[in-house]
Amino acid sequence: MKRTQYSLARVEIISSHLAEVINDLRLVDVADYIAFIRCELFGNIADIVNSATELTFHADTLTFGLGGEYSLDWSSTPKVMLDLEFSNMGVNAYFRLTLSGEKSEIDLHHIRFADTGRTPADNTALLAAAFNNARLPQLTAPE
């Protein structure tokens, strides 16, 4: 997706809402992701993503997009790229999450808004509202 002020704000919205999910996805060994991708066992990755999202998002709002890649060679840190899909309140976002030892990145591929005719700023606000609405209430520990 072409970088604009709106796409940068939208990536920031997605990134901020995925922090807990990314932490959970990092609990799986990178070798397992690479093996699943290499052997095209995408159902296993879908299960991992579902497990990572079940405490943060309502069911079926953030899912694995059944695609992924990896980068592994002798001179760099391994990278795993997972296609993810978000769907809630008429907003569909398709993006790639890249996990590496140093950082994680979101590459936003496409966003579809069911209600067309809004301004880009309104659409960005709708994306933020859709993510907020998709999140489960966080439980707090008893004191």
Side-chain angles (χ1 to χ4, degrees), residues 51-76:
S51 294
T53 62
E54 69 186 356
L55 296 177
T56 307
F57 290 98
H58 289 286
D60 299 325
T61 54
L62 183 64
T63 58
F64 178 61
L66 297 180
E69 295 179 42
Y70 64 89
S71 172
L72 180 64
D73 59 46
W74 295 106
S75 61
S76 65

PDB file of all heavy atoms in Angstrom, residues 51-76:
ATOM      1  N   SER A  51      -4.940 -19.039  19.055  1.00  0.00           N
ATOM      2  CA  SER A  51      -4.591 -19.108  20.475  1.00  0.00           C
ATOM      3  C   SER A  51      -4.037 -17.778  20.980  1.00  0.00           C
ATOM      4  O   SER A  51      -4.316 -17.366  22.100  1.00  0.00           O
ATOM      5  CB  SER A  51      -3.564 -20.211  20.726  1.00  0.00           C
ATOM      6  OG  SER A  51      -4.125 -21.467  20.463  1.00  0.00           O
ATOM      7  N   ALA A  52      -3.251 -17.105  20.145  1.00  0.00           N
ATOM      8  CA  ALA A  52      -2.646 -15.833  20.544  1.00  0.00           C
ATOM      9  C   ALA A  52      -3.677 -14.711  20.630  1.00  0.00           C
ATOM     10  O   ALA A  52      -3.485 -13.749  21.372  1.00  0.00           O
ATOM     11  CB  ALA A  52      -1.540 -15.451  19.569  1.00  0.00           C
ATOM     12  N   THR A  53      -4.768 -14.834  19.892  1.00  0.00           N
ATOM     13  CA  THR A  53      -5.758 -13.761  19.865  1.00  0.00           C
ATOM     14  C   THR A  53      -6.943 -13.997  20.795  1.00  0.00           C
ATOM     15  O   THR A  53      -7.686 -13.058  21.073  1.00  0.00           O
ATOM     16  CB  THR A  53      -6.303 -13.550  18.437  1.00  0.00           C
ATOM     17  OG1 THR A  53      -6.955 -14.742  18.007  1.00  0.00           O
ATOM     18  CG2 THR A  53      -5.200 -13.175  17.477  1.00  0.00           C
ATOM     19  N   GLU A  54      -7.118 -15.208  21.290  1.00  0.00           N
ATOM     20  CA  GLU A  54      -8.347 -15.541  22.009  1.00  0.00           C
ATOM     21  C   GLU A  54      -8.543 -14.781  23.310  1.00  0.00           C
ATOM     22  O   GLU A  54      -9.683 -14.636  23.762  1.00  0.00           O
ATOM     23  CB  GLU A  54      -8.459 -17.042  22.244  1.00  0.00           C
ATOM     24  CG  GLU A  54      -7.470 -17.600  23.231  1.00  0.00           C
ATOM     25  CD  GLU A  54      -7.524 -19.117  23.318  1.00  0.00           C
ATOM     26  OE1 GLU A  54      -8.378 -19.740  22.663  1.00  0.00           O
ATOM     27  OE2 GLU A  54      -6.695 -19.674  24.052  1.00  0.00           O
ATOM     28  N   LEU A  55      -7.481 -14.279  23.931  1.00  0.00           N
ATOM     29  CA  LEU A  55      -7.631 -13.523  25.174  1.00  0.00           C
ATOM     30  C   LEU A  55      -7.698 -12.017  24.935  1.00  0.00           C
ATOM     31  O   LEU A  55      -7.933 -11.262  25.876  1.00  0.00           O
ATOM     32  CB  LEU A  55      -6.490 -13.845  26.138  1.00  0.00           C
ATOM     33  CG  LEU A  55      -6.422 -15.281  26.632  1.00  0.00           C
ATOM     34  CD1 LEU A  55      -5.205 -15.482  27.524  1.00  0.00           C
ATOM     35  CD2 LEU A  55      -7.699 -15.666  27.361  1.00  0.00           C
ATOM     36  N   THR A  56      -7.488 -11.602  23.697  1.00  0.00           N
ATOM     37  CA  THR A  56      -7.441 -10.174  23.387  1.00  0.00           C
ATOM     38  C   THR A  56      -8.605  -9.720  22.511  1.00  0.00           C
ATOM     39  O   THR A  56      -9.150  -8.634  22.725  1.00  0.00           O
ATOM     40  CB  THR A  56      -6.109  -9.837  22.685  1.00  0.00           C
ATOM     41  OG1 THR A  56      -5.028 -10.330  23.473  1.00  0.00           O
ATOM     42  CG2 THR A  56      -5.944  -8.349  22.516  1.00  0.00           C
ATOM     43  N   PHE A  57      -8.979 -10.547  21.525  1.00  0.00           N
ATOM     44  CA  PHE A  57     -10.005 -10.155  20.555  1.00  0.00           C
ATOM     45  C   PHE A  57     -11.171 -11.140  20.561  1.00  0.00           C
ATOM     46  O   PHE A  57     -10.994 -12.313  20.873  1.00  0.00           O
ATOM     47  CB  PHE A  57      -9.412 -10.106  19.139  1.00  0.00           C
ATOM     48  CG  PHE A  57      -8.444  -8.978  18.928  1.00  0.00           C
ATOM     49  CD1 PHE A  57      -7.081  -9.190  19.023  1.00  0.00           C
ATOM     50  CD2 PHE A  57      -8.897  -7.706  18.651  1.00  0.00           C
ATOM     51  CE1 PHE A  57      -6.179  -8.163  18.837  1.00  0.00           C
ATOM     52  CE2 PHE A  57      -8.012  -6.661  18.465  1.00  0.00           C
ATOM     53  CZ  PHE A  57      -6.647  -6.888  18.558  1.00  0.00           C
ATOM     54  N   HIS A  58     -12.346 -10.633  20.189  1.00  0.00           N
ATOM     55  CA  HIS A  58     -13.494 -11.511  19.997  1.00  0.00           C
ATOM     56  C   HIS A  58     -13.169 -12.517  18.891  1.00  0.00           C
ATOM     57  O   HIS A  58     -12.364 -12.241  17.997  1.00  0.00           O
ATOM     58  CB  HIS A  58     -14.745 -10.714  19.619  1.00  0.00           C
ATOM     59  CG  HIS A  58     -15.297  -9.898  20.745  1.00  0.00           C
ATOM     60  ND1 HIS A  58     -15.981 -10.451  21.798  1.00  0.00           N
ATOM     61  CD2 HIS A  58     -15.256  -8.572  20.985  1.00  0.00           C
ATOM     62  CE1 HIS A  58     -16.355  -9.512  22.632  1.00  0.00           C
ATOM     63  NE2 HIS A  58     -15.912  -8.343  22.161  1.00  0.00           N
ATOM     64  N   ALA A  59     -13.806 -13.666  18.951  1.00  0.00           N
ATOM     65  CA  ALA A  59     -13.553 -14.738  17.980  1.00  0.00           C
ATOM     66  C   ALA A  59     -13.768 -14.250  16.551  1.00  0.00           C
ATOM     67  O   ALA A  59     -14.699 -13.498  16.261  1.00  0.00           O
ATOM     68  CB  ALA A  59     -14.454 -15.926  18.272  1.00  0.00           C
ATOM     69  N   ASP A  60     -12.893 -14.682  15.678  1.00  0.00           N
ATOM     70  CA  ASP A  60     -12.971 -14.448  14.231  1.00  0.00           C
ATOM     71  C   ASP A  60     -12.853 -12.982  13.818  1.00  0.00           C
ATOM     72  O   ASP A  60     -13.194 -12.643  12.687  1.00  0.00           O
ATOM     73  CB  ASP A  60     -14.253 -15.051  13.649  1.00  0.00           C
ATOM     74  CG  ASP A  60     -14.316 -16.545  13.838  1.00  0.00           C
ATOM     75  OD1 ASP A  60     -13.253 -17.194  13.776  1.00  0.00           O
ATOM     76  OD2 ASP A  60     -15.425 -17.075  14.065  1.00  0.00           O
ATOM     77  N   THR A  61     -12.363 -12.107  14.694  1.00  0.00           N
ATOM     78  CA  THR A  61     -12.124 -10.726  14.262  1.00  0.00           C
ATOM     79  C   THR A  61     -10.697 -10.546  13.754  1.00  0.00           C
ATOM     80  O   THR A  61     -10.464  -9.751  12.852  1.00  0.00           O
ATOM     81  CB  THR A  61     -12.395  -9.711  15.385  1.00  0.00           C
ATOM     82  OG1 THR A  61     -11.645 -10.055  16.546  1.00  0.00           O
ATOM     83  CG2 THR A  61     -13.873  -9.659  15.724  1.00  0.00           C
ATOM     84  N   LEU A  62      -9.745 -11.290  14.309  1.00  0.00           N
ATOM     85  CA  LEU A  62      -8.368 -11.266  13.838  1.00  0.00           C
ATOM     86  C   LEU A  62      -7.957 -12.704  13.546  1.00  0.00           C
ATOM     87  O   LEU A  62      -7.939 -13.541  14.449  1.00  0.00           O
ATOM     88  CB  LEU A  62      -7.430 -10.646  14.881  1.00  0.00           C
ATOM     89  CG  LEU A  62      -5.970 -10.509  14.460  1.00  0.00           C
ATOM     90  CD1 LEU A  62      -5.825  -9.538  13.284  1.00  0.00           C
ATOM     91  CD2 LEU A  62      -5.124 -10.026  15.624  1.00  0.00           C
ATOM     92  N   THR A  63      -7.665 -12.997  12.285  1.00  0.00           N
ATOM     93  CA  THR A  63      -7.387 -14.369  11.877  1.00  0.00           C
ATOM     94  C   THR A  63      -6.144 -14.432  10.991  1.00  0.00           C
ATOM     95  O   THR A  63      -5.715 -13.428  10.422  1.00  0.00           O
ATOM     96  CB  THR A  63      -8.578 -14.971  11.102  1.00  0.00           C
ATOM     97  OG1 THR A  63      -8.846 -14.150   9.954  1.00  0.00           O
ATOM     98  CG2 THR A  63      -9.823 -15.066  11.973  1.00  0.00           C
ATOM     99  N   PHE A  64      -5.618 -15.635  10.877  1.00  0.00           N
ATOM    100  CA  PHE A  64      -4.501 -15.893   9.973  1.00  0.00           C
ATOM    101  C   PHE A  64      -5.030 -15.936   8.553  1.00  0.00           C
ATOM    102  O   PHE A  64      -6.045 -16.568   8.269  1.00  0.00           O
ATOM    103  CB  PHE A  64      -3.832 -17.219  10.353  1.00  0.00           C
ATOM    104  CG  PHE A  64      -2.693 -17.616   9.472  1.00  0.00           C
ATOM    105  CD1 PHE A  64      -1.567 -16.812   9.368  1.00  0.00           C
ATOM    106  CD2 PHE A  64      -2.729 -18.789   8.755  1.00  0.00           C
ATOM    107  CE1 PHE A  64      -0.499 -17.183   8.556  1.00  0.00           C
ATOM    108  CE2 PHE A  64      -1.681 -19.173   7.951  1.00  0.00           C
ATOM    109  CZ  PHE A  64      -0.554 -18.358   7.850  1.00  0.00           C
ATOM    110  N   GLY A  65      -4.343 -15.265   7.645  1.00  0.00           N
ATOM    111  CA  GLY A  65      -4.790 -15.163   6.266  1.00  0.00           C
ATOM    112  C   GLY A  65      -4.345 -16.302   5.371  1.00  0.00           C
ATOM    113  O   GLY A  65      -4.425 -16.190   4.160  1.00  0.00           O
ATOM    114  N   LEU A  66      -3.843 -17.385   5.953  1.00  0.00           N
ATOM    115  CA  LEU A  66      -3.415 -18.581   5.218  1.00  0.00           C
ATOM    116  C   LEU A  66      -2.281 -18.313   4.236  1.00  0.00           C
ATOM    117  O   LEU A  66      -2.213 -18.893   3.167  1.00  0.00           O
ATOM    118  CB  LEU A  66      -4.594 -19.244   4.507  1.00  0.00           C
ATOM    119  CG  LEU A  66      -5.684 -19.760   5.442  1.00  0.00           C
ATOM    120  CD1 LEU A  66      -6.801 -20.402   4.640  1.00  0.00           C
ATOM    121  CD2 LEU A  66      -5.130 -20.731   6.463  1.00  0.00           C
ATOM    122  N   GLY A  67      -1.379 -17.431   4.634  1.00  0.00           N
ATOM    123  CA  GLY A  67      -0.192 -17.192   3.839  1.00  0.00           C
ATOM    124  C   GLY A  67       0.950 -16.745   4.733  1.00  0.00           C
ATOM    125  O   GLY A  67       0.728 -16.110   5.752  1.00  0.00           O
ATOM    126  N   GLY A  68       2.143 -17.110   4.352  1.00  0.00           N
ATOM    127  CA  GLY A  68       3.298 -16.693   5.130  1.00  0.00           C
ATOM    128  C   GLY A  68       4.582 -17.017   4.406  1.00  0.00           C
ATOM    129  O   GLY A  68       4.597 -17.800   3.454  1.00  0.00           O
ATOM    130  N   GLU A  69       5.637 -16.387   4.848  1.00  0.00           N
ATOM    131  CA  GLU A  69       6.965 -16.601   4.296  1.00  0.00           C
ATOM    132  C   GLU A  69       7.968 -16.531   5.429  1.00  0.00           C
ATOM    133  O   GLU A  69       7.642 -16.105   6.536  1.00  0.00           O
ATOM    134  CB  GLU A  69       7.317 -15.513   3.278  1.00  0.00           C
ATOM    135  CG  GLU A  69       6.471 -15.490   2.040  1.00  0.00           C
ATOM    136  CD  GLU A  69       6.889 -14.355   1.116  1.00  0.00           C
ATOM    137  OE1 GLU A  69       8.116 -14.135   0.946  1.00  0.00           O
ATOM    138  OE2 GLU A  69       6.009 -13.684   0.594  1.00  0.00           O
ATOM    139  N   TYR A  70       9.183 -16.903   5.115  1.00  0.00           N
ATOM    140  CA  TYR A  70      10.266 -16.723   6.070  1.00  0.00           C
ATOM    141  C   TYR A  70      11.514 -16.317   5.309  1.00  0.00           C
ATOM    142  O   TYR A  70      11.639 -16.537   4.106  1.00  0.00           O
ATOM    143  CB  TYR A  70      10.522 -17.987   6.894  1.00  0.00           C
ATOM    144  CG  TYR A  70      10.999 -19.165   6.082  1.00  0.00           C
ATOM    145  CD1 TYR A  70      12.355 -19.375   5.858  1.00  0.00           C
ATOM    146  CD2 TYR A  70      10.095 -20.069   5.536  1.00  0.00           C
ATOM    147  CE1 TYR A  70      12.790 -20.450   5.111  1.00  0.00           C
ATOM    148  CE2 TYR A  70      10.523 -21.144   4.783  1.00  0.00           C
ATOM    149  CZ  TYR A  70      11.873 -21.325   4.577  1.00  0.00           C
ATOM    150  OH  TYR A  70      12.300 -22.387   3.823  1.00  0.00           O
ATOM    151  N   SER A  71      12.427 -15.699   6.048  1.00  0.00           N
ATOM    152  CA  SER A  71      13.726 -15.346   5.513  1.00  0.00           C
ATOM    153  C   SER A  71      14.754 -15.915   6.469  1.00  0.00           C
ATOM    154  O   SER A  71      14.769 -15.580   7.654  1.00  0.00           O
ATOM    155  CB  SER A  71      13.855 -13.822   5.422  1.00  0.00           C
ATOM    156  OG  SER A  71      15.171 -13.460   5.072  1.00  0.00           O
ATOM    157  N   LEU A  72      15.580 -16.800   5.950  1.00  0.00           N
ATOM    158  CA  LEU A  72      16.575 -17.470   6.788  1.00  0.00           C
ATOM    159  C   LEU A  72      17.827 -17.716   5.963  1.00  0.00           C
ATOM    160  O   LEU A  72      17.783 -18.407   4.950  1.00  0.00           O
ATOM    161  CB  LEU A  72      16.006 -18.807   7.295  1.00  0.00           C
ATOM    162  CG  LEU A  72      16.899 -19.645   8.178  1.00  0.00           C
ATOM    163  CD1 LEU A  72      17.198 -18.936   9.494  1.00  0.00           C
ATOM    164  CD2 LEU A  72      16.245 -20.998   8.446  1.00  0.00           C
ATOM    165  N   ASP A  73      18.920 -17.097   6.390  1.00  0.00           N
ATOM    166  CA  ASP A  73      20.205 -17.355   5.753  1.00  0.00           C
ATOM    167  C   ASP A  73      21.298 -17.246   6.804  1.00  0.00           C
ATOM    168  O   ASP A  73      21.034 -16.978   7.970  1.00  0.00           O
ATOM    169  CB  ASP A  73      20.453 -16.425   4.555  1.00  0.00           C
ATOM    170  CG  ASP A  73      20.421 -14.958   4.933  1.00  0.00           C
ATOM    171  OD1 ASP A  73      21.032 -14.579   5.946  1.00  0.00           O
ATOM    172  OD2 ASP A  73      19.802 -14.174   4.193  1.00  0.00           O
ATOM    173  N   TRP A  74      22.536 -17.453   6.398  1.00  0.00           N
ATOM    174  CA  TRP A  74      23.652 -17.520   7.335  1.00  0.00           C
ATOM    175  C   TRP A  74      24.089 -16.161   7.855  1.00  0.00           C
ATOM    176  O   TRP A  74      24.828 -16.077   8.830  1.00  0.00           O
ATOM    177  CB  TRP A  74      24.843 -18.216   6.686  1.00  0.00           C
ATOM    178  CG  TRP A  74      24.567 -19.650   6.379  1.00  0.00           C
ATOM    179  CD1 TRP A  74      24.340 -20.187   5.144  1.00  0.00           C
ATOM    180  CD2 TRP A  74      24.480 -20.726   7.307  1.00  0.00           C
ATOM    181  NE1 TRP A  74      24.115 -21.533   5.244  1.00  0.00           N
ATOM    182  CE2 TRP A  74      24.192 -21.894   6.585  1.00  0.00           C
ATOM    183  CE3 TRP A  74      24.598 -20.834   8.688  1.00  0.00           C
ATOM    184  CZ2 TRP A  74      24.044 -23.139   7.164  1.00  0.00           C
ATOM    185  CZ3 TRP A  74      24.441 -22.076   9.276  1.00  0.00           C
ATOM    186  CH2 TRP A  74      24.169 -23.204   8.522  1.00  0.00           C
ATOM    187  N   SER A  75      23.670 -15.098   7.220  1.00  0.00           N
ATOM    188  CA  SER A  75      24.216 -13.786   7.581  1.00  0.00           C
ATOM    189  C   SER A  75      23.210 -12.824   8.212  1.00  0.00           C
ATOM    190  O   SER A  75      23.522 -11.658   8.404  1.00  0.00           O
ATOM    191  CB  SER A  75      24.833 -13.130   6.345  1.00  0.00           C
ATOM    192  OG  SER A  75      23.840 -12.949   5.352  1.00  0.00           O
ATOM    193  N   SER A  76      22.004 -13.292   8.516  1.00  0.00           N
ATOM    194  CA  SER A  76      21.024 -12.379   9.100  1.00  0.00           C
ATOM    195  C   SER A  76      20.125 -13.107  10.097  1.00  0.00           C
ATOM    196  O   SER A  76      20.086 -14.332  10.147  1.00  0.00           O
ATOM    197  CB  SER A  76      20.178 -11.738   7.999  1.00  0.00           C
ATOM    198  OG  SER A  76      19.399 -12.711   7.345  1.00  0.00           O
TER     199      SER A  76
END
